[in-house]
Amino acid sequence: MSPKITTELLKQLRQVMKNPKYVQEPVQAYIVPSGDAHQSEYIAPCDCRRAFISGFDGSAGTAIITEQHAAMWTDGRYFLQAAHQMDNNWTLMKMGLKDTPTQEDWLVSVLPEGSKVGVDPFIIPADQWKRMSKVLRSAGHDLVPVKENLIDTIWTDCPQRPCKPLIMLDLSYTGVSWRDKIVALRSKMAERKVMWFVVTALDEVAWLFNLRGSDVEYNPVFFAYAVIGMNTIRLFIDGDRIMDPAVREHLQLDSTLEPEFKIQVMPYGSILSELQAVGAGLSPKEKVWLSDKASYALTEAIPKAYRYLTPYTPICIAKAVKNASETEGMRRAHIKDAVALCELFNWLEKEVPKGTVTEIIAADKAEEFRSQQKDFVELSFATISSTGPNGAIIHYKPVPETNRTLSVNEIYLLDSGAQYKDGTTDVTRTMHFGTPSAYEKECFTYVLKGHIAVSAAIFPNGTKGHLLDSFARSALWDCGLDYLHGTGHGVGSFLNVHEGPCGISYKTFADEPLEAGMIVSDEPGYYEDGSFGVRIENVVLVVPAETKYNFKNRGSLTFEPLTLVPIQTKMIDVNLLTQKECNWVNDYHQKCREVVGAELERQGRHEALQWLIRETEPLVRVQ
Amino acid sequence: MSPKITTELLKQLRQVMKNPKYVQEPVQAYIVPSGDAHQSEYIAPCDCRRAFISGFDGSAGTAIITEQHAAMWTDGRYFLQAAHQMDNNWTLMKMGLKDTPTQEDWLVSVLPEGSKVGVDPFIIPADQWKRMSKVLRSAGHDLVPVKENLIDTIWTDCPQRPCKPLIMLDLSYTGVSWRDKIVALRSKMAERKVMWFVVTALDEVAWLFNLRGSDVEYNPVFFAYAVIGMNTIRLFIDGDRIMDPAVREHLQLDSTLEPEFKIQVMPYGSILSELQAVGAGLSPKEKVWLSDKASYALTEAIPKAYRYLTPYTPICIAKAVKNASETEGMRRAHIKDAVALCELFNWLEKEVPKGTVTEIIAADKAEEFRSQQKDFVELSFATISSTGPNGAIIHYKPVPETNRTLSVNEIYLLDSGAQYKDGTTDVTRTMHFGTPSAYEKECFTYVLKGHIAVSAAIFPNGTKGHLLDSFARSALWDCGLDYLHGTGHGVGSFLNVHEGPCGISYKTFADEPLEAGMIVSDEPGYYEDGSFGVRIENVVLVVPAETKYNFKNRGSLTFEPLTLVPIQTKMIDVNLLTQKECNWVNDYHQKCREVVGAELERQGRHEALQWLIRETEPLVRVQ
């Protein structure tokens, strides 16, 4: 990887930072955040402005350019990658290290008095604007919105914003019609006494209208906003995709409907002016509900006194609790996904010893097997296919420069998943195709104990996921080992593989309580730098638990694994497991054998079935 | 308990709420918070204004009086007590229940448009003022400071503010001189570029100057403020106690000192005007450091641009990490405390069967035994001495109306502690003097498993205490049981029995990471309403742990119990313990026997020694 040469680009940017065509007054600093106008985790190529200006294309990072400096803030996952991808014009700001200044503090330390700091108001979330603006103002500077994105002015070959056809999901997938979702949303609005709700997150728009898209890689979403009133529905979306008769039928655009369910379709770009019109027409006590992560531009469109901001929207919370149709779809998707992985691992077992399988080949093979399954749409994230030392790089993605050949001497870690029309998968397995060392088995077994501790945990209704995080670490901690990432994230239903508002992490305190029907991942790990990585990940469904005393009728919850892929028993040091843990593994493998076995049989995949049967032989504790 | 009749008092209060002698403009509502001007947990009788106006004297509660209403907000611990103590003039607002409005929302719902809501600016913390003021303002009302406390104007027989003699602690207790503490504080101030630090919490003033007092029951503190500049020290304190030659010597008031260590003594009541003078004299960039819990009055004395507010002060953080002298003192105090409890339990074992021991007699006896120990000062909180159903009332304190006689048929729960000149104790033991039922033993054993899970937990340096809370609950959760309080709190060194900034609770996220030298309690419980309560509490010291892999030199921590009082083995269902848990109990009892046994021997308390030896017989697992 050679760094991108950015000298000329930075020169051009610094010129437009003073150009009255774009800025009312010159700005002394310009912030280039990671995200798009919807605060998406995965963004379209046209939104990769930070990567364009710096060369650094990791998923998280903020660039700030001043007259004299160009600095990039990113976190521990990306220190190495950012250092490789950026040239000497850039200073890497390692977030999470003690001496690294915050963006605000750094700006205060380098800017001349009374500076203006510019940012695209559509890209910066309102809560972040508020925080930065406060610090800058107290130091005598000003954060100012620059309407035209300055990167776009110098990005001559910027790709077009994608505008791909829409996918309609019928009731058999969604369980609830978009009309009923609007009714439920309006009832939440009435509860909070708000008159309008602005849908800004792409997965929330997609979920609400039972539509999917492919404007962004991995996330089946499309560029759109929506504004829901108590009597109106406005959908802001571009392109002739809305002319597709099937889409018009799905949204009942040409039907005679009660006015409150009539969808008005408007251009994507008109959201700001339409919202400003809404804001200008509000009567006293009429509130508008927005996520506090919505862009500063849209938030400002509503006068402050009329805003109702929450960290999680009612759609985000409703979307997280899967109904019976969604849960059944997720189950089906996970069985198909398991079939693909049984095929893959059976294939790897035969091919790896030949020395011809690289990380990239393995990842491609995984995609190939998945794509043979019914309703396969695309991958749900970039496959992490990593062997040996690459496994210790938590967000590794194999590229030709780093591509390593799998062998019988190294651990192989595969974290992968797919979008099927009936569900989203995300699974990590760590395998050895030769003989693992005692230390590798020891580490794997601690990670497995942590995985089981979360998966088998029983907890009262109303418990937040972050309270379970330490269960995943306890066995590692006892031996002085740990991993520096959270234990789990919410998973969408044929939607984003990472979604709020629940999760299992020591870092999250604003998570919503776990409820039956929520779906999260359970993925503890251990990483030995320069040597190997271990992670064991299942997607699990929150289900009611049976307990002896049932929390005085408060009710209790536990998890049911949706992922049904064998955990390599060769990697387990059985004597480090308790009998209870041993039983958990055996019960899990029994279920894999029964459920996935039946599907392998049905699909006539006999060799993979034999592999599954071999891999699910019960463990026996010697002690 | 009959309720306090408050009709006349409320009438008088509503008159002064309109009396121009006290308020610039009439206030339509008046807030009476729980606390004093230092946001103390335990308050002096003269500060019990909320109890005076309402009759409700629990430790937490806020009263709001309007023309038409009188309402009291308190939490689940006090619903019953508040309902008993208040007459019909009052509405009880049960905090934590879904339908209970916040104080602000309630005010907005009952007040006429454009109302003024008054509060004593010395008693309301700045962060709370900010939150309330914002909500009220957005609804068209105003939160206004009322300088004269309106309760004081109608409280004709209000007790005097206490002004008791001071206790000086020499280096053998504190380990660090007040002078060195000032030096360390100034270095923290320099790091953060602040010129002044305002000490508002009573335990922080006491700790900083190595002084103790007895102005407030249970907490060995005295009414004072301090303002520390880079070159000045001002101590605001009343009474002739500062004329005591020993105090003058301790503070070196009459010595020739470098000016930056010369303490200027000023009247307690002059803090506001002095701070206003400091505020008025600040040059640009000169900041003043205050806790964000400091009163609104003192916070407002410093212009906003000059304030530096943090949730925890550098004194709070320094105070939490005990040095070798303090740790040794705490160890001594806990051994003496264990001696007293061995005497008590030995005595109870003989006396309870006679049917003559009530909860109050038992509590008094505990105090009597403690008071025989060297350097005993007072209790560290009101003894919770509770038997049978009273044990299920988490913050129970026996009074004649509820006083129950201990018997061989009910569980007895004793949560008690003392202040010794060398340390503060807090211990809970749950005992049965007859034969416990299988269910009682089962519950006790789950609580014990939780206690051990925390006490024996190993975790990496930098872990926050709230991440350990679920360890205490896991065994209970597995059977559908839980307890509705946190698992542990910080403990002072001959100071407040509850102190920040660390703790172990599902509720606290702003806690500071645990460090070696910190001292917390470990006190899971289980409460069966109307039947019994179980709690097992030790005070534990955070110590470095030995682990196989030591977190790549990040280092690891665990706990060492300071409390050394036997845990009643009769209450344990040994077959529910793992071998590891069983060993923990046996090792703990072995240590109790050795350490406390030696002290009992030294003090010639032979009968209690025999009791200790009987109670520390090793457990044997049958399985």
Side-chain angles (χ1 to χ4, degrees):
Chain A
M1 263 192 283
S2 56
K4 174 165 182 169
I5 304 305
T6 59
T7 310
E8 187 52 36
L9 281 178
L10 288 172
K11 198 172 142 198
Q12 287 172 23
L13 179 62
R14 286 173 177 134
Q15 274 160 1
V16 294
M17 282 163 61
K18 289 179 287 196
N19 187 335
K21 195 171 149 197
Y22 305 116
V23 289
Q24 283 190 305
E25 283 185 83
V27 296
Q28 284 71 43
Y30 188 66
I31 305 176
V32 186
S34 237
D36 63 12
H38 305 270
Q39 283 65 56
S40 307
E41 184 188 3
Y42 293 83
I43 57 178
C46 61
D47 287 317
C48 296
R49 299 179 179 97
R50 184 249 306 150
F52 168 76
I53 191 68
S54 69
F56 166 55
D57 66 3
S59 76
T62 299
I64 303 185
I65 298 93
T66 68
E67 269 305 318
Q68 308 291 334
H69 306 274
M72 176 69 68
W73 280 258
T74 189
D75 62 63
R77 294 173 294 173
Y78 293 117
F79 292 165
L80 266 177
Q81 181 182 335
H84 280 138
Q85 292 184 321
M86 299 192 305
D87 70 10
N88 287 337
N89 289 301
W90 291 84
T91 307
L92 180 57
M93 297 293 189
K94 298 181 173 181
M95 287 164 69
L97 300 197
K98 219 177 162 181
D99 295 331
T100 304
T102 62
Q103 294 160 26
E104 301 89 301
D105 287 349
W106 180 80
L107 280 167
V108 170
S109 74
V110 301
L111 288 178
E113 292 218 352
S115 288
K116 308 252 176 244
V117 177
V119 68
D120 180 341
F122 260 98
I123 292 185
I124 187 167
D127 59 345
Q128 198 178 320
W129 171 287
K130 197 174 163 186
R131 202 171 56 241
M132 283 196 108
S133 170
K134 195 175 162 187
V135 177
L136 290 174
R137 200 166 45 235
S138 83
H141 307 296
D142 257 333
L143 186 62
V144 297
V146 179
K147 272 180 199 158
E148 185 129 14
N149 190 294
L150 297 186
I151 300 296
D152 293 356
T153 66
I154 60 169
W155 193 354
T156 46
D157 56 347
C158 175
Q160 282 233 307
R161 183 162 301 281
C163 194
K164 306 263 182 66
L166 301 179
I167 303 167
M168 288 128 290
L169 294 182
D170 65 32
L171 271 183
S172 70
Y173 291 105
T174 66
V176 182
S177 68
W178 63 259
R179 202 181 146 122
D180 286 345
K181 287 181 178 179
I182 296 272
V183 171
L185 173 61
R186 284 184 179 144
S187 116
K188 288 278 168 202
M189 289 161 62
E191 256 176 38
R192 308 289 184 104
K193 294 177 186 148
V194 303
M195 299 298 290
W196 301 89
F197 178 77
V198 186
V199 198
T200 55
L202 297 183
D203 64 333
E204 298 192 11
V205 180
W207 179 87
L208 183 60
F209 292 103
N210 290 335
L211 289 171
R212 298 294 186 267
S214 51
D215 287 356
V216 179
E217 202 177 6
Y218 307 126
N219 290 348
V221 296
F222 52 92
F223 285 102
Y225 291 101
V227 176
I228 312 300
M230 291 309 273
N231 301 300
T232 55
I233 304 172
R234 293 179 201 165
L235 177 61
F236 299 81
I237 184 168
D238 276 349
D240 49 11
R241 48 193 175 180
I242 213 77
M243 300 313 293
D244 175 347
V247 172
R248 298 192 72 79
E249 166 77 25
H250 176 87
L251 294 176
Q252 299 183 262
L253 292 181
D254 306 308
S255 317
T256 322
L257 274 178
E258 307 93 301
E260 68 266 33
F261 292 111
K262 190 89 198 154
I263 298 176
Q264 301 165 257
V265 177
M266 298 179 157
Y268 177 71
S270 68
I271 176 72
L272 183 60
S273 56
E274 286 295 327
L275 205 54
Q276 282 165 337
V278 165
L282 294 168
S283 323
K285 299 218 168 181
E286 282 192 359
K287 296 259 180 186
V288 179
W289 196 343
L290 286 139
S291 161
D292 66 2
K293 311 274 175 313
S295 69
Y296 175 73
L298 295 189
T299 308
E300 279 297 298
I302 305 301
K304 204 171 168 185
Y306 297 94
R307 283 177 218 157
Y308 181 75
L309 305 181
T310 57
Y312 297 115
T313 70
I315 296 186
C316 172
I317 293 169
K319 176 165 63 62
V321 182
K322 274 70 178 175
N323 60 41
S325 308
E326 290 170 322
T327 307
E328 277 320 300
M330 285 294 267
R331 278 187 215 283
R332 282 196 306 273
H334 280 83
I335 294 168
K336 293 182 285 184
D337 212 56
V339 165
L341 287 187
C342 288
E343 283 281 14
L344 175 76
F345 291 133
N346 175 52
W347 181 83
L348 284 175
E349 216 170 79
K350 290 182 302 180
E351 298 299 319
V352 167
K354 301 179 188 162
T356 52
V357 183
T358 65
E359 294 167 338
I360 293 177
I361 290 173
D364 289 346
K365 200 74 188 172
E367 182 164 4
E368 183 190 324
F369 283 122
R370 284 191 162 108
S371 68
Q372 296 164 1
Q373 294 299 313
K374 182 164 175 256
D375 277 345
F376 171 86
V377 178
E378 61 173 333
L379 298 186
S380 57
F381 57 97
T383 298
I384 299 175
S385 169
S386 54
T387 187
N390 288 343
I393 303 168
I394 297 172
H395 283 77
Y396 178 77
K397 178 192 163 179
V399 289
E401 293 86 343
T402 62
N403 195 15
R404 215 174 155 86
T405 301
L406 277 62
S407 85
V408 294
N409 304 315
E410 286 182 344
I411 286 184
Y412 176 63
L413 184 158
L414 178 74
D415 185 351
S416 62
Q419 299 287 2
Y420 301 90
K421 243 182 113 175
D422 42 11
T424 302
T425 66
D426 181 359
V427 45
T428 309
R429 286 296 179 264
T430 304
M431 321 275 287
H432 203 293
F433 299 104
T435 306
S437 73
Y439 180 60
E440 287 167 340
K441 287 174 68 171
E442 185 185 359
C443 294
F444 183 94
T445 309
Y446 296 146
V447 172
L448 176 60
K449 287 166 84 80
H451 179 93
I452 297 171
V454 170
S455 197
I458 291 175
F459 46 92
N461 249 327
T463 301
K464 293 183 166 197
H466 70 259
L467 292 170
L468 309 179
D469 184 76
S470 299
F471 289 157
R473 298 175 200 274
S474 181
L476 286 162
W477 282 358
D478 278 346
C479 292
L481 304 175
D482 195 15
Y483 55 96
L484 297 180
H485 59 72
T487 302
H489 52 81
V491 178
S493 178
F494 184 28
L495 258 181
N496 298 357
V497 74
H498 297 156
E499 68 168 28
C502 57
I504 302 174
S505 173
Y506 62 98
K507 286 178 287 190
T508 319
F509 307 126
D511 53 334
E512 290 283 310
L514 293 168
E515 289 182 46
M518 284 180 165
I519 292 179
V520 295
S521 69
D522 170 14
E523 47 179 316
Y526 175 70
Y527 308 92
E528 183 88 7
D529 277 347
S531 183
F532 66 87
V534 170
R535 187 161 61 248
I536 302 172
E537 175 185 26
N538 280 353
V539 168
V540 295
L541 173 68
V542 182
V543 294
E546 300 274 325
T547 59
K548 198 167 171 188
Y549 301 115
N550 201 30
F551 296 96
K552 299 169 184 166
N553 298 321
R554 187 173 156 202
S556 49
L557 300 171
T558 186
F559 298 110
E560 178 199 324
L562 295 177
T563 304
L564 292 173
V565 179
I567 294 163
Q568 199 179 38
T569 50
K570 184 201 282 184
M571 287 292 292
I572 301 174
D573 181 343
V574 186
N575 295 319
L576 294 177
L577 297 185
T578 63
Q579 189 57 53
K580 220 171 135 190
E581 289 163 342
C582 198
N583 295 346
W584 185 94
V585 173
N586 290 341
D587 292 347
Y588 178 72
H589 278 161
Q590 182 60 27
K591 190 170 175 190
C592 292
R593 193 186 273 197
E594 283 170 17
V595 177
V596 181
E599 181 66 17
L600 282 165
E601 183 77 54
R602 206 188 58 77
Q603 295 192 15
R605 297 176 182 270
H606 300 295
E607 206 182 314
L609 177 58
Q610 289 315 308
W611 177 88
L612 172 67
I613 290 169
R614 281 200 308 279
E615 288 293 307
T616 51
E617 280 298 315
L619 290 176
V620 181
R621 264 173 97 233
V622 184
Q623 289 174 315
Chain B
M1 260 190 286
S2 55
K4 176 166 182 169
I5 304 305
T6 59
T7 311
E8 186 52 34
L9 281 177
L10 289 171
K11 198 172 140 197
Q12 288 173 23
L13 179 62
R14 286 172 177 136
Q15 275 160 3
V16 294
M17 282 163 62
K18 291 179 286 196
N19 186 337
K21 194 172 150 193
Y22 304 118
V23 290
Q24 283 190 306
E25 282 185 83
V27 297
Q28 283 70 43
Y30 188 65
I31 305 174
V32 186
S34 236
D36 63 11
H38 305 270
Q39 281 66 53
S40 308
E41 183 187 6
Y42 292 83
I43 57 179
C46 61
D47 287 317
C48 296
R49 299 180 179 95
R50 183 251 303 151
F52 167 75
I53 191 69
S54 69
F56 167 54
D57 66 1
S59 74
T62 299
I64 304 186
I65 298 93
T66 68
E67 269 304 318
Q68 308 292 335
H69 306 274
M72 175 70 66
W73 280 258
T74 190
D75 62 63
R77 294 174 294 173
Y78 294 117
F79 294 165
L80 265 178
Q81 181 181 335
H84 280 139
Q85 293 184 321
M86 299 192 306
D87 68 11
N88 287 337
N89 290 299
W90 291 85
T91 307
L92 180 57
M93 297 293 192
K94 296 180 173 181
M95 288 165 69
L97 299 198
K98 220 176 163 180
D99 295 331
T100 305
T102 63
Q103 293 161 26
E104 300 90 300
D105 288 349
W106 179 80
L107 279 167
V108 170
S109 73
V110 301
L111 287 179
E113 291 218 352
S115 287
K116 307 254 176 244
V117 178
V119 66
D120 180 342
F122 260 98
I123 292 185
I124 187 167
D127 58 348
Q128 199 179 321
W129 171 287
K130 196 174 163 186
R131 202 170 57 240
M132 284 197 108
S133 170
K134 196 174 163 188
V135 177
L136 290 174
R137 201 167 42 237
S138 82
H141 308 295
D142 256 332
L143 187 61
V144 297
V146 180
K147 271 181 196 156
E148 185 131 12
N149 190 292
L150 297 185
I151 301 296
D152 293 357
T153 67
I154 61 168
W155 193 353
T156 46
D157 57 347
C158 175
Q160 281 234 308
R161 181 162 301 281
C163 194
K164 306 265 183 67
L166 302 177
I167 302 166
M168 288 128 287
L169 292 183
D170 65 32
L171 270 182
S172 70
Y173 292 104
T174 66
V176 181
S177 68
W178 62 260
R179 201 182 146 124
D180 287 344
K181 288 180 179 179
I182 296 273
V183 170
L185 172 62
R186 284 184 177 142
S187 113
K188 289 278 167 203
M189 289 162 61
E191 257 176 38
R192 307 289 183 104
K193 295 181 186 145
V194 302
M195 298 298 288
W196 301 90
F197 178 77
V198 186
V199 197
T200 56
L202 297 184
D203 64 333
E204 297 192 12
V205 180
W207 179 86
L208 183 60
F209 292 103
N210 291 336
L211 289 171
R212 298 293 186 269
S214 51
D215 288 357
V216 180
E217 204 179 2
Y218 307 127
N219 289 348
V221 296
F222 51 93
F223 285 102
Y225 291 102
V227 177
I228 312 300
M230 292 309 274
N231 300 302
T232 54
I233 304 172
R234 291 179 206 166
L235 177 60
F236 298 80
I237 184 168
D238 277 349
D240 49 12
R241 48 195 175 179
I242 214 77
M243 298 313 292
D244 175 347
V247 173
R248 300 193 69 81
E249 166 77 28
H250 176 87
L251 295 176
Q252 297 182 264
L253 293 180
D254 305 308
S255 317
T256 321
L257 275 178
E258 306 93 303
E260 68 266 32
F261 293 110
K262 191 87 195 157
I263 299 176
Q264 298 164 259
V265 178
M266 296 179 161
Y268 177 70
S270 69
I271 176 72
L272 182 61
S273 56
E274 286 295 326
L275 206 54
Q276 282 166 337
V278 164
L282 294 167
S283 323
K285 302 216 168 183
E286 281 191 3
K287 296 258 182 189
V288 179
W289 196 344
L290 285 140
S291 161
D292 66 3
K293 310 273 175 317
S295 69
Y296 175 72
L298 295 189
T299 308
E300 279 296 297
I302 305 300
K304 205 171 167 185
Y306 298 95
R307 282 178 219 156
Y308 181 76
L309 305 182
T310 56
Y312 296 114
T313 70
I315 296 186
C316 173
I317 293 169
K319 176 165 64 63
V321 182
K322 274 68 176 176
N323 60 42
S325 307
E326 290 170 322
T327 307
E328 278 319 301
M330 284 295 263
R331 277 187 215 285
R332 282 196 307 273
H334 280 82
I335 295 167
K336 291 182 287 184
D337 211 55
V339 165
L341 287 187
C342 289
E343 284 281 12
L344 175 75
F345 291 131
N346 175 51
W347 181 83
L348 285 175
E349 215 170 81
K350 289 182 300 177
E351 299 298 321
V352 167
K354 300 178 189 164
T356 52
V357 183
T358 65
E359 295 168 338
I360 293 178
I361 289 173
D364 290 346
K365 200 75 188 174
E367 180 164 4
E368 182 190 323
F369 283 123
R370 284 189 162 109
S371 69
Q372 295 165 0
Q373 295 298 314
K374 185 166 173 254
D375 277 344
F376 172 85
V377 178
E378 60 172 335
L379 299 186
S380 56
F381 59 96
T383 299
I384 299 175
S385 169
S386 56
T387 187
N390 288 342
I393 303 167
I394 297 173
H395 283 76
Y396 179 77
K397 179 193 162 181
V399 290
E401 292 86 343
T402 62
N403 196 19
R404 213 174 157 84
T405 301
L406 278 63
S407 85
V408 294
N409 303 314
E410 287 182 345
I411 286 184
Y412 176 63
L413 185 159
L414 178 74
D415 185 351
S416 63
Q419 299 286 1
Y420 301 90
K421 245 183 111 173
D422 40 12
T424 302
T425 66
D426 181 358
V427 46
T428 309
R429 287 296 179 267
T430 305
M431 321 277 284
H432 204 294
F433 299 104
T435 307
S437 73
Y439 180 59
E440 287 167 340
K441 287 174 68 173
E442 184 185 0
C443 294
F444 183 94
T445 309
Y446 296 146
V447 172
L448 175 62
K449 286 167 85 80
H451 179 93
I452 297 171
V454 170
S455 197
I458 290 173
F459 47 92
N461 249 329
T463 301
K464 292 181 168 198
H466 71 259
L467 293 169
L468 309 179
D469 184 76
S470 299
F471 289 157
R473 298 177 199 274
S474 182
L476 286 162
W477 282 358
D478 278 347
C479 292
L481 303 175
D482 195 15
Y483 55 96
L484 298 178
H485 58 73
T487 302
H489 53 81
V491 178
S493 178
F494 183 27
L495 258 181
N496 297 358
V497 74
H498 298 156
E499 68 168 28
C502 57
I504 302 174
S505 175
Y506 62 98
K507 288 177 286 189
T508 318
F509 307 127
D511 52 332
E512 289 284 311
L514 293 169
E515 289 183 43
M518 283 179 167
I519 292 178
V520 295
S521 70
D522 170 13
E523 47 179 316
Y526 174 70
Y527 309 92
E528 184 87 5
D529 277 345
S531 184
F532 64 86
V534 170
R535 188 160 62 250
I536 302 173
E537 175 186 25
N538 280 352
V539 167
V540 296
L541 173 69
V542 182
V543 294
E546 300 274 324
T547 60
K548 198 166 170 187
Y549 301 115
N550 202 30
F551 296 95
K552 298 169 186 165
N553 298 322
R554 187 173 155 206
S556 48
L557 299 171
T558 187
F559 298 109
E560 178 199 326
L562 295 177
T563 304
L564 293 173
V565 178
I567 294 163
Q568 198 179 38
T569 50
K570 184 202 281 183
M571 288 291 295
I572 302 175
D573 181 345
V574 185
N575 296 319
L576 294 176
L577 296 185
T578 64
Q579 190 56 53
K580 220 171 137 189
E581 289 163 342
C582 198
N583 295 345
W584 186 95
V585 173
N586 289 340
D587 292 348
Y588 178 71
H589 278 160
Q590 182 60 29
K591 190 169 174 193
C592 292
R593 193 187 272 199
E594 283 169 16
V595 177
V596 181
E599 181 65 16
L600 282 165
E601 182 77 53
R602 207 188 58 77
Q603 295 193 16
R605 297 174 182 271
H606 300 295
E607 207 182 313
L609 176 58
Q610 289 315 309
W611 177 88
L612 172 68
I613 290 168
R614 281 199 309 278
E615 289 292 309
T616 51
E617 280 298 314
L619 291 175
V620 181
R621 264 173 98 233
V622 184
Q623 288 174 316

